[in-house]
Amino acid sequence: MASFIASEPGSGPPADDRCRAELGAVLASDVFRRSPKLSRLLTYLCDKYLQGRESEITEYSIALDVLGRDGTFDPQQDAVVRVDAHHLRKRLKQYYAGPGSDHEFQIVLPNGQYRLQFVALPETSIVERKDFQSAEVPAEKLPSRSQPVLPFARGRTWAWIAIGVVVVVLAGGLLAIGGRSKGARADASASAKTLAISPMPAAGQADEIRIAAGDRQGDYVDSFGRTWQSDRYFSGGTTFHRAFRQIQRAQDPELYQSGREGQFVYEIPLRPGIYELHLYFAETGVLSEALRSVGIAINGKPVSNLDIASDAGGINTATVKIFTDISPLEDGFLRLMFQGTGPSFVNALEIIPSTKGKVLPIRLTAMETPFRDHLGRVWLPDRYSTGGRKSARGVPIDDSADPALYQTQRYGHFNYLIPVAEGREYTVILHFSETWFSPSNSNGGEGSRVFDVYCNGMTLLKSFDILKEAGGVGNRPVVRAFHKVPASPQGKIDLNFVPIANYALVNAIEVISE
């Protein structure tokens, strides 16, 4: 799996000559030779990176320096820079999924940013990925598929029983279902082939499994540097791909462009253990809310009947469903069954090792890249949010072992809808630091920034003044922890930051299972 070089303690970015050599290889490829504008943009961003002048990169500077716009350019009225950056990201992913797939590191432009990152790929990961894509594994090496699919619990709807029948039919190879189109029959045949050759994940890859559903060209590397394998382990259903659109609450909107829909099953080879399952959805196929639902069964047991648009709070909005204490069956497979009205679908699946009875901690920072604190814990870049803006303040932070955590913030009137497992209680920890209205900056003082914080309809903080809580001293962390916070019925921690005087602000958020 790719890892951010900058986030690994004791390691630095590749040498400048290696960076320039990689840039030259990318620009010389057919993927970029046909696009001189994107080549100019990539060269400009790489030059700024190598000169250590990334802080100078803005939407405005790109418009003037790369695209030839004049001083009247208004990024609020003209989205040309954002559009070109989107196309550049796609071209880079296309290159590294094809001719650049065996390179030691990759040039990545994270979503929502104009600062490039050089992402290292360990040599073993490159070899394993090649072997995984090309090797045909003999049937005797696979876990046995002779175990029957478990029946659904009594009292469930006939639709759940129907999907069980579909699974048996598909597993027996009877894929010629009446009324299917030629394209659907071809997709079903492809699914049977996938099941026939899919090996257990390679050593070092089995602990975390990420699958990007749908018809994709190669694996997908997200903005955190994590690799999502192309669709596999499925039976039934068809694929879809939507035109690019902005997906609310998503750090990687491309992940929600494609998916698998219909009635289908994933049979995922998994080592024995306890896992956490994350299912990713965004309703992009209908024009209004509540027009279809997704029924989900894990190892034969129905666990959810989900209205995606309502759960997410609207169409074109991402939502994640989390299921804990997941284990494979005795035959070594985790079986996920999808059925519903409209029809059912999924965009991506993620399986992560966990501890029985616990939910994996969630740590978010307003920083642009993953951050490893002094205890070795990883904080992910801002996600699950709507509203507000992010900014960075390069000021010294006192009394903190991790000052960088308090130098960036989301501010304004904003909301976080953080997915958690249903029916549990959590500790919610909010991290603040007042770096603008501190006395040393002469921008104000106590009372300059006051706001409320609500969680799932309950008041967490009322008329909260960061500077006052810090004893009138700015640039100092203020941490507030709230225990026994119940998840919403939809499995969310819904945080609302409401301004009273000036704008609300938060630097980082933790959600920890109790």
Side-chain angles (χ1 to χ4, degrees):
M1 184 177 67
S3 60
F4 284 108
I5 294 173
S7 68
E8 293 294 332
S11 65
D16 287 2
D17 57 344
R18 295 181 64 200
C19 293
R20 292 193 182 280
E22 183 66 17
L23 172 62
V26 173
L27 295 177
S29 68
D30 290 339
V31 176
F32 277 84
R33 273 206 304 263
R34 297 189 297 269
S35 181
K37 183 167 67 168
L38 294 184
S39 296
R40 288 197 306 271
L41 176 56
L42 179 60
T43 302
Y44 173 83
L45 297 178
C46 280
D47 284 345
K48 292 293 186 183
Y49 171 90
L50 294 169
Q51 296 166 12
R53 297 166 58 189
E54 295 169 284
S55 61
E56 299 177 4
I57 302 175
T58 64
E59 202 168 327
Y60 184 79
S61 70
I62 292 173
L64 270 62
D65 298 343
V66 180
L67 305 180
R69 300 301 173 93
D70 59 28
T72 63
F73 174 77
D74 182 357
Q76 300 297 325
Q77 302 295 324
D78 191 340
V80 62
V81 176
R82 297 189 292 277
V83 171
D84 284 351
H86 166 69
H87 290 310
L88 176 58
R89 290 186 191 97
K90 290 187 66 174
R91 288 293 178 94
L92 285 170
K93 291 171 183 176
Q94 179 184 349
Y95 174 74
Y96 287 115
S101 60
D102 59 347
H103 289 204
E104 295 181 6
F105 60 89
Q106 302 179 355
I107 303 174
V108 174
L109 181 61
N111 283 357
Q113 300 182 36
Y114 301 115
R115 298 185 181 189
L116 292 176
Q117 294 172 347
F118 285 80
V119 178
L121 288 172
E123 184 175 353
T124 54
S125 294
I126 298 173
V127 173
E128 288 168 358
R129 185 175 62 188
K130 285 182 177 178
D131 291 344
F132 185 86
Q133 291 176 341
S134 60
E136 182 145 345
V137 179
E140 61 267 21
K141 298 294 185 180
L142 294 174
S144 170
R145 293 186 181 274
S146 61
Q147 291 286 344
V149 176
L150 294 182
F152 291 97
R154 293 183 179 179
R156 300 292 178 179
T157 64
W158 65 267
W160 281 112
I161 299 173
I163 185 63
V165 174
V166 171
V167 175
V168 175
V169 171
L170 289 172
L174 304 177
L175 300 176
I177 298 175
R180 277 191 180 175
S181 66
K182 181 178 180 181
R185 289 197 300 271
D187 192 71
S189 299
S191 71
K193 182 178 179 182
T194 300
L195 285 171
I197 67 172
S198 295
M200 285 290 289
Q205 292 184 343
D207 285 346
E208 294 188 0
I209 296 177
R210 294 181 176 89
I211 299 173
D215 187 14
R216 298 172 183 270
Q217 296 182 350
D219 296 343
Y220 173 75
V221 179
D222 67 19
S223 58
F224 306 146
R226 304 174 304 186
T227 298
W228 297 72
Q229 297 175 314
S230 56
D231 209 1
R232 59 198 63 202
Y233 308 132
F234 54 81
S235 294
T238 57
T239 62
F240 66 85
H241 183 83
R242 318 273 190 233
F244 178 79
R245 64 194 70 188
Q246 188 60 46
I247 303 296
Q248 297 294 319
R249 301 188 189 276
Q251 188 76 8
D252 291 274
E254 293 94 341
L255 201 60
Y256 299 89
Q257 282 184 265
S258 299
R260 180 162 295 278
E261 64 183 351
Q263 292 189 350
F264 54 94
V265 179
Y266 280 87
E267 293 187 281
I268 303 172
L270 202 59
R271 292 195 179 113
I274 304 298
Y275 295 85
E276 193 169 290
L277 170 67
H278 298 186
L279 300 178
Y280 291 74
F281 305 92
E283 181 56 85
T284 59
V286 298
L287 299 179
S288 60
E289 298 179 18
L291 292 183
R292 64 170 166 174
S293 62
V294 175
I296 304 165
I298 300 176
N299 290 335
K301 179 182 178 181
V303 295
S304 181
N305 193 28
L306 181 65
D307 180 334
I308 299 298
S310 295
D311 190 89
I315 61 173
N316 300 328
T317 303
T319 188
V320 182
K321 301 305 293 183
I322 296 178
F323 303 94
T324 59
D325 297 340
I326 302 299
S327 295
L329 295 171
E330 291 183 0
D331 62 359
F333 287 88
L334 172 65
R335 287 182 172 84
L336 307 176
M337 306 180 187
F338 295 81
Q339 70 86 42
T341 59
S344 181
F345 76 100
V346 70
N347 297 106
L349 309 88
E350 185 176 30
I351 303 170
I352 309 172
S354 185
T355 302
K356 188 174 180 61
K358 290 289 185 180
V359 182
L360 293 171
I362 298 171
R363 293 184 173 91
L364 306 176
T365 168
M367 299 170 69
E368 296 289 345
T369 58
F371 173 71
R372 190 182 300 276
D373 65 21
H374 72 288
L375 297 176
R377 303 174 304 182
V378 175
W379 299 67
L380 293 178
D382 192 72
R383 60 200 308 201
Y384 309 129
S385 60
T386 57
R389 300 177 62 186
K390 292 192 294 184
S391 67
R393 298 273 298 156
V395 298
I397 301 295
D398 300 324
D399 303 328
S400 174
D402 297 293
L405 200 63
Y406 297 92
Q407 291 176 324
T408 56
Q409 56 270 321
R410 178 168 290 278
Y411 70 95
H413 188 173
F414 54 93
N415 163 265
Y416 284 84
L417 199 60
I418 302 173
V420 293
E422 299 175 15
R424 297 175 183 264
E425 293 183 331
Y426 299 85
T427 295
V428 177
I429 306 174
L430 305 178
H431 296 256
F432 308 94
S433 181
E434 182 56 76
T435 61
W436 180 255
F437 291 113
S438 59
S440 60
N441 294 329
S442 301
N443 290 324
E446 293 184 25
S448 298
R449 185 193 309 278
V450 181
F451 56 94
D452 297 337
V453 181
Y454 303 93
C455 179
N456 294 348
M458 302 179 297
T459 302
L460 295 187
L461 295 171
K462 188 67 176 176
S463 299
F464 185 67
D465 184 333
I466 301 172
L467 194 58
K468 182 179 180 180
E469 296 295 325
V473 180
N475 305 344
R476 175 176 292 178
V478 174
V479 181
R480 291 291 179 266
F482 307 89
H483 301 282
K484 296 189 177 302
V485 177
S488 74
Q490 293 74 38
K492 300 291 193 294
I493 296 295
D494 188 352
L495 292 168
N496 283 281
F497 294 77
V498 181
I500 295 175
N502 210 281
Y503 294 114
L505 175 153
V506 72
N507 299 95
I509 300 171
E510 295 178 81
V511 178
I512 303 171
S513 174
E514 293 191 352

